[in-house]
Amino acid sequence: DFVRVTGPAPVAACSADASTVNRGGQILLTCSLTNRGDMAGRETKLTINLTGINPEEVGTLNEGQRIERRYRVAAPSQPGTYTIQ
């Protein structure tokens, strides 16, 4: 008999510790990666598209496993509204 599997299903999410920050200030960015699939993900990387943050090798992310990383980053130099994606 065969069992249908969906495979690894990584889901990434990020949040900031402040909704408003002064120019030149710092933000604590918390990012997580969760495998919602039913198989382990191999050679997994967490990539945050910000200057100074390099892709991080996570390795194997088992089914249901969640990792969390925190990064302290400088606020943008230009005033405005920015979206974390």
Side-chain angles (χ1 to χ4, degrees), residues 1-83:
D1 290 339
F2 292 98
V3 176
R4 184 179 180 156
V5 295
T6 60
V11 176
C14 288
S15 63
D17 68 338
S19 59
T20 303
V21 65
N22 293 328
R23 194 175 348 182
Q26 293 203 339
I27 301 167
L28 182 63
L29 189 63
T30 302
C31 298
S32 65
L33 184 62
T34 305
N35 181 358
R36 293 194 179 156
D38 53 9
M39 292 180 66
R42 310 262 186 241
E43 299 180 25
T44 307
K45 283 185 183 179
L46 177 61
T47 302
I48 309 300
N49 292 319
L50 287 172
T51 302
I53 300 178
N54 297 319
E56 182 177 338
E57 296 283 342
V58 176
T60 299
L61 192 62
N62 292 315
E63 57 271 18
Q65 186 179 0
R66 177 179 185 270
I67 58 127
E68 184 176 282
R69 300 293 185 264
R70 293 186 176 158
Y71 308 95
R72 187 154 302 276
V73 297
S77 59
Q78 297 298 317
T81 301
Y82 296 87
T83 302

